[in-house]
């Protein structure tokens, strides 16, 4: 097995793992984790098209954790051939996942719409950009979003 | 069309990254809804918007948008300028409306990509 290397950016072949706190209700800070991952992928020389797809998927999930999930955490692992992202929160959860996936469905409050979000496009945008996407949610327990992006 | 010509056309003022006036702009999008920019903007290096908050900068970063122009006389805050400077994103502003800015740029040959 390959050994996980913590805390440093190394060659593409190795595994890299990062954990991020996603602060609740701090809309100005939302996106810091995605921005950091973007930086790492750029340093690793990952194809820009893949970086953009990863950025879009992760940023949408991070925003959802801030807006709907009272903040949470992001776990990012980079393998030789793929990037795996888990974004999870312990917020209210999603009652009807199928409905939440429908483009245009949103429960975002007006304060979020005034900030330019809440069009109900995020989840389907994640699905569009990820190679694998899994959404798990339980009412009053929280929500988990698994995103995998192939590197090649 | 290079950025400095774009700015001349809409009487735009730069707020960050003054050294980047040579960026070449081929296509643009105009939106106040960042959800739409995230979902529909394809290869645009320029975003025109009437929305002023830090997530505009973040959205630009994620979408590889190099230049954000605030229309209708809106100005970015100091915090936004700092964030943009750090990410190498050019911020500019124009007193003209969204419609007029887009019209002038379209007339000058800048196209829209995506839907
Ligand atoms: N982490 C989450 N916790 C609780 N509910 C969520 C979570 N993520 C999404 N949802 C629910 O699913 C709906 C649809 O999410 P989606 O990301 O597609 O749209 P949005 O966040 O409302 O708007 P947009 O992403 O376009 O800004 C949300 O409005 C919310 O009701
Ligand atoms: Mg969303």
């Amino acid at each position: 097995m390959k050994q996980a290397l913590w805390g440093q950016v190394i060659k593409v072949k190795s595994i890299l793992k990062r954990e991020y706190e996603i602060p609740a209700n701090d809309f100005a800070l939302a996106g810091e984790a995605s921005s950091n991952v973007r930086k790492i992928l750029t340093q690793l020389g990952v194809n820009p098209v893949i970086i953009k797809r990863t950025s879009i998927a992760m940023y949408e999930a991070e925003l959802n954790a801030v807006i709907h999930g009272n903040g949470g955490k992001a776990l990012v692992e980079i393998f030789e051939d793929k990037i795996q992202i888990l974004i999870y929160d312990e917020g209210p959860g999603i009652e009807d996942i199928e409905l939440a996936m429908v483009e245009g469905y949103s429960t975002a409050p007006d304060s979020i719409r005034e900030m330019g979000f809440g069009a109900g496009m995020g989840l389907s945008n994640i699905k569009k950009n990820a190679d694998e996407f899994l959404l798990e949610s339980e009412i009053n327990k929280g929500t988990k979003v698994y995103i995998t992006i192939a590197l090649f | 069309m290079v950025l400095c010509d774009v700015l001349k056309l809409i009487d735009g003022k730069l707020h960050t990254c003054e050294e980047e006036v040579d960026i070449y702009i081929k296509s643009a999008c105009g939106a106040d809804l960042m959800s739409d920019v995230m979902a529909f903007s394809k290869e645009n290096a320029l975003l025109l918007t009437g929305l002023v908050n830090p997530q505009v900068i973040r959205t630009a970063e994620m979408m590889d948008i190099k230049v954000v122009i605030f229309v209708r006389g809106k100005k970015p805050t100091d915090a936004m300028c700092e964030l943009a400077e750090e990410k190498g994103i050019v911020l500019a502003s124009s007193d003209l409306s969204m419609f007029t800015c887009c019209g002038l740029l379209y007339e000058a040959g800048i196209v829209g990509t995506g839907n």
Side-chain angles (χ1 to χ4, degrees):
Chain A
M1 275 306 287
K2 282 167 229 107
Q3 223 193 323
L5 283 162
W6 297 80
Q8 54 175 322
V9 175
I10 33 113
K11 302 197 300 287
V12 180
K13 277 199 157 181
S14 309
I15 292 174
L16 186 144
K17 203 168 170 170
R18 285 283 194 283
E19 202 179 322
Y20 302 92
E21 202 65 53
I22 303 172
N25 292 320
D26 195 340
F27 195 65
L29 270 182
E32 267 300 299
S34 304
S35 176
N36 195 272
V37 168
R38 203 183 146 79
K39 234 172 262 169
I40 292 172
L41 296 178
T42 308
Q43 278 166 3
L44 289 172
V46 171
N47 177 334
V49 175
I50 289 169
I51 296 182
K52 187 163 172 181
R53 280 174 45 216
T54 309
S55 301
I56 293 173
M58 183 169 172
Y59 180 56
E60 293 277 19
E62 190 180 350
L63 279 174
N64 279 355
V66 175
I67 296 170
H68 310 291
N70 302 326
K73 278 192 176 151
L75 262 168
V76 179
E77 260 187 290
I78 302 171
F79 297 87
E80 277 176 51
D81 57 343
K82 65 178 183 240
I83 307 159
Q84 266 182 348
I85 300 165
L86 164 60
I87 300 213
Y88 62 99
D89 63 63
E90 293 175 353
I94 302 172
E95 203 175 291
D96 184 341
I97 290 185
E98 214 174 301
L99 180 63
M101 288 298 304
V102 173
E103 287 189 1
Y105 175 82
S106 174
T107 59
D110 284 349
S111 61
I112 292 301
R113 289 173 204 262
E114 280 157 22
M115 304 290 267
F117 294 88
M121 302 299 295
L123 289 174
S124 66
N125 205 18
I126 298 173
K127 191 174 177 184
K128 233 182 276 171
N129 284 282
D131 290 306
E132 281 171 44
F133 164 70
L134 179 67
L135 178 58
E136 279 176 3
S137 192
E138 222 178 303
I139 287 294
N140 295 326
K141 282 247 170 91
T143 300
K144 290 180 180 167
V145 180
Y146 296 88
I147 296 163
T148 305
I149 307 226
L151 277 173
F152 301 103
Chain B
M1 190 179 209
V2 288
L3 179 58
C4 61
D5 290 336
V6 168
L7 293 176
K8 256 181 239 159
L9 213 55
I10 57 171
D11 196 18
K13 289 164 217 52
L14 278 170
H15 297 274
T16 65
C17 304
E18 267 113 20
E19 66 286 355
E20 303 278 5
V21 289
D22 299 330
I23 291 183
Y24 188 75
I25 308 287
K26 199 169 65 184
S27 64
C29 78
D32 287 351
L33 192 54
M34 293 303 113
S35 295
D36 273 357
V37 177
M38 290 301 299
F40 299 117
S41 177
K42 296 261 158 67
E43 308 277 296
N44 301 310
L46 170 62
L47 168 68
L48 295 115
T49 186
L51 187 72
V52 182
N53 71 56
Q55 290 311 328
V56 176
I57 317 291
R58 306 251 184 221
T59 301
E61 179 190 16
M62 301 304 157
M63 300 308 289
D64 296 323
I65 290 167
K66 302 275 181 276
V67 183
V68 179
I69 297 177
F70 298 96
V71 299
R72 254 188 294 122
K74 309 230 169 177
K75 302 276 185 307
T77 63
D78 289 347
M80 286 168 65
C81 288
E82 216 170 287
L83 189 64
E85 196 78 57
E86 181 195 311
K87 297 180 188 310
I89 294 170
V90 181
L91 300 187
S93 61
S94 167
D95 287 338
L96 303 177
S97 74
M98 173 73 101
F99 183 79
T100 307
C101 284
C102 291
L104 286 168
L105 296 185
Y106 191 83
E107 198 177 45
I110 291 177
V111 295
T113 63
N115 314 29

